[in-house]
Amino acid sequence: NEKKKGKGYRSPCSPSRVLHIRRIPSGVSGAEVVALGLPFGKVTNLLMLRGKDQAFLEMASVDAAVSMVNYYTSGTPHLHNQPVYIQYSNYKELRTDNHHNQARPQAALQGVNAVQHGNLGITSALAAEGGALPSHSSVLRIVVENVFYPVTLDLLYQIFSKFGFVSKIVMFHKNNQFQALLQYADAINAYYAKMSLDGRSIYSGCCTLHIDFSKLTKLTVKYNNDKSRDFTRIDLPFGDGQRTMSSDAIYTFPGPSVPPVPGALGPLTVTTSAVPGHMTIPDIPGNSVLLVSNLNPEAITPYGLFILFGVYGDVHRVKIMFKKRGIALVQMADATQAQLAINYLNGQRLYGRVIHATLSKYQTIQLPREGQEDKGLTKDYSNSPLHRFKNPCSKNLQNIFPPSATLHLSNIPPSVTVDDLKKLFTSKGSTVKGFKFFQKDCKMALIQLASVEEAVHALIELHNHDFGEEQHLRVSFSKSSI
């Protein structure tokens, strides 16, 4: 049995929300054990067995426990640089009332859960056991070694957003190494991400992550492009794609470099055979369904969401909740498009409200059954002719920009004048601040409105506007201004 344990043997217990964690090194705190589970959901109880180097961790749901076991099966987690092994327990729930020496682990559990969605960090939880936070910084420095496949900003966002809201990312090369600085909204999320991802590989056998805390307390991002992005500022210009921080900020990194531990925690994927750029990361939610909340129930329609989210991908289905009209599900063509829509539309003002967009727990939107009351709130757009990205060579793929006050208009008939277009936008409640036709192509123009929110409304109202004779206006957000 000891030999089996040494190899990380997992018993054939049926899934339970109580997990058994073995081979815990001495000196590991309860907060560090709890942190293994927090990325997958709320941790409801903890039992530390100090003398046996074991612990029991109770998750709020069986689904959360299953996700955690599946995640760590592909890559064994490490605590204090030692592997620990996780399996389902025979217990269905934990009772720690009568156990001695559980006061400090319980205090840690309460502290971590109390600040999981707050701004206090994990300090109080670790302090309950006399522990210390490695760093209070919410900024991580990421070094990627053995970069065999491209590592993009969106890929980093997809991986690290599993552990909390990523607010800023800056990528660059230094000493012939691919590096990135990544800032979380909260230091506690940076702590979880470092614990879970340091030493792991994005793809099997390559693109290994080495993560430490930066001395920088915050990042300054000037441009939103493929090298840098501020997810809290959708109004930033695209820039020229060059370095977006001062050299002083980029090159002042803390402490010694992380020693290379290739594949120490296992790869984030299980395959290297896929075409670069089309790889999937099974451990990261590959969901294409978005949950969109805080919508204005008086103004929002399935078609409006289809047009707006269609700027960032091909929308297949939309469902506005029958009993909660301020909440909707939007199903994109794939997970990449879903993440792109989140990047650009989460926090955007729409009909007087700041909307929230995140991944849904649902994998698909079910169409209403025949005879089921729906009032037209669920729509299927999978075969719509208005999809912008059906053609993989489409120029639309190179012209995806955040919502802006300036709109790009195309497919304008020769008979339509400047005044015609100004009147059209004014009739939809827009205030036109500027307008110009393209010199080389009079079928295209830029129109600048009073605000980003006005432009969003106008795009929803006027994209595909029928000029007659089968000519329809195309409206997109522009990176330019007039």
Side-chain angles (χ1 to χ4, degrees):
N1 287 338
E2 285 302 316
K3 189 175 180 181
K4 287 181 178 178
K5 286 181 181 179
K7 291 183 178 178
Y9 171 74
R10 285 165 170 75
S11 69
C13 293
S14 60
S16 164
R17 63 191 185 98
V18 179
L19 302 173
H20 182 206
I21 306 174
R22 298 179 289 109
R23 305 287 293 274
I24 298 174
S26 60
V28 169
S29 67
E32 289 174 295
V33 174
V34 170
L36 289 174
L38 281 175
F40 307 93
K42 185 178 180 182
V43 177
T44 51
N45 214 339
L46 170 68
L47 175 62
M48 296 286 289
L49 304 177
R50 297 285 185 191
K52 297 184 178 181
D53 299 330
Q54 298 178 26
F56 289 93
L57 195 69
E58 181 186 270
M59 304 298 290
S61 68
V62 174
D63 286 345
V66 170
S67 295
M68 181 174 170
V69 169
N70 289 344
Y71 183 85
Y72 290 129
T73 297
S74 67
T76 305
H78 284 51
L79 291 174
H80 292 196
N81 296 318
Q82 297 295 318
V84 296
Y85 302 101
I86 301 175
Q87 64 191 50
Y88 299 116
S89 164
N90 288 319
Y91 298 108
K92 298 304 177 188
E93 64 176 338
L94 279 183
R95 295 190 178 181
T96 53
D97 301 344
N98 299 324
H99 285 85
H100 300 295
N101 303 321
Q102 292 302 313
R104 290 201 298 185
Q106 287 299 305
L109 172 66
Q110 292 168 11
V112 172
N113 276 326
V115 299
Q116 185 179 8
H117 300 293
N119 296 311
L120 301 177
I122 200 170
T123 312
S124 61
L126 287 169
E129 297 191 90
L133 190 66
S135 169
H136 290 282
S137 177
S138 61
V139 180
L140 297 176
R141 181 184 71 149
I142 303 158
V143 177
V144 186
E145 290 192 342
N146 194 15
V147 184
F148 188 74
Y149 297 114
V151 177
T152 65
L153 190 147
D154 287 330
L155 179 64
L156 290 178
Y157 181 88
Q158 188 184 12
I159 293 169
F160 282 83
S161 61
K162 178 181 178 70
F163 300 92
F165 178 66
V166 175
S167 56
K168 300 172 185 176
I169 301 176
V170 175
M171 303 191 317
F172 52 94
H173 280 82
K174 179 189 173 187
N175 299 332
N176 293 322
Q177 284 184 318
F178 177 96
Q179 300 192 22
L181 292 172
L182 182 145
Q183 181 178 333
Y184 281 100
D186 197 320
I188 188 172
N189 304 119
Y191 179 76
Y192 300 152
K194 183 184 185 302
M195 281 194 64
S196 296
L197 296 176
D198 187 22
R200 297 198 69 179
S201 299
I202 299 175
Y203 304 115
S204 183
C206 65
C207 299
T208 304
L209 301 172
H210 299 304
I211 305 169
D212 57 11
F213 292 96
S214 171
K215 286 183 179 177
L216 297 173
T217 56
K218 63 179 181 179
L219 301 179
T220 301
V221 175
K222 296 180 180 179
Y223 304 113
N224 281 339
N225 53 40
D226 58 349
K227 298 296 183 187
S228 66
R229 199 166 302 163
D230 184 338
F231 296 97
T232 67
R233 292 279 309 279
I234 59 176
D235 58 318
L236 291 180
F238 186 79
D240 56 6
Q242 299 302 311
R243 185 173 296 146
T244 56
M245 299 175 62
S246 69
S247 58
D248 292 339
I250 281 185
Y251 292 107
T252 53
F253 288 121
S257 61
V258 181
V261 193
L265 294 177
L268 290 175
T269 65
V270 293
T271 177
T272 57
S273 60
V275 179
H278 292 81
M279 293 193 173
T280 56
I281 304 173
D283 299 326
I284 307 302
N287 197 352
S288 61
V289 179
L290 303 174
L291 175 68
V292 187
S293 56
N294 201 38
L295 295 165
N296 184 336
E298 303 299 322
I300 200 63
T301 64
Y303 180 77
L305 290 172
F306 165 67
I307 292 296
L308 178 58
F309 281 78
V311 173
Y312 301 106
D314 293 337
V315 177
H316 283 195
R317 291 179 180 177
V318 177
K319 180 183 184 71
I320 295 176
M321 298 303 183
F322 187 76
K323 293 183 178 179
K324 295 182 179 179
R325 303 291 175 91
I327 300 174
L329 297 175
V330 178
Q331 184 174 334
M332 309 297 288
D334 57 45
T336 302
Q337 293 181 4
Q339 198 63 63
L340 202 61
I342 291 174
N343 293 354
Y344 287 123
L345 294 177
N346 182 46
Q348 174 58 49
R349 287 187 66 85
L350 179 64
Y351 300 123
R353 299 212 183 167
V354 177
I355 64 171
H356 304 294
T358 186
L359 290 175
S360 165
K361 65 180 181 180
Y362 298 104
Q363 297 296 314
T364 186
I365 294 176
Q366 298 293 330
L367 295 176
R369 296 185 300 273
E370 190 173 346
Q372 182 180 357
E373 188 179 14
D374 180 69
K375 294 189 176 178
L377 296 176
T378 305
K379 295 289 186 182
D380 182 55
Y381 296 104
S382 53
N383 295 315
S384 173
L386 297 186
H387 286 166
R388 296 176 186 247
F389 306 102
K390 285 184 295 185
N391 182 356
C393 300
S394 170
K395 287 185 178 180
N396 291 331
L397 293 167
Q398 284 80 48
N399 293 302
I400 299 175
F401 304 111
S404 62
T406 305
L407 297 173
H408 179 275
L409 311 181
S410 60
N411 207 35
I412 303 169
S415 59
V416 174
T417 66
V418 174
D419 286 341
D420 291 335
L421 288 166
K422 286 184 177 179
K423 286 177 183 177
L424 177 62
F425 277 81
T426 303
S427 71
K428 300 300 181 181
S430 301
T431 303
V432 179
K433 294 289 187 179
F435 184 95
K436 71 173 183 181
F437 274 109
F438 279 53
Q439 285 185 340
K440 295 182 179 179
D441 189 348
C442 290
K443 291 182 180 179
M444 296 194 291
L446 295 178
I447 187 166
Q448 188 169 333
L449 306 182
S451 67
V452 175
E453 186 178 7
E454 265 196 22
V456 170
H457 298 166
L459 182 141
I460 291 173
E461 290 285 331
L462 292 173
H463 179 65
N464 201 46
H465 173 77
D466 189 358
F467 286 118
E469 298 181 7
E470 297 185 358
Q471 288 191 287
H472 295 78
L473 182 66
R474 297 287 177 262
V475 185
S476 305
F477 295 116
S478 173
K479 68 175 181 179
S480 306
S481 57
I482 299 174

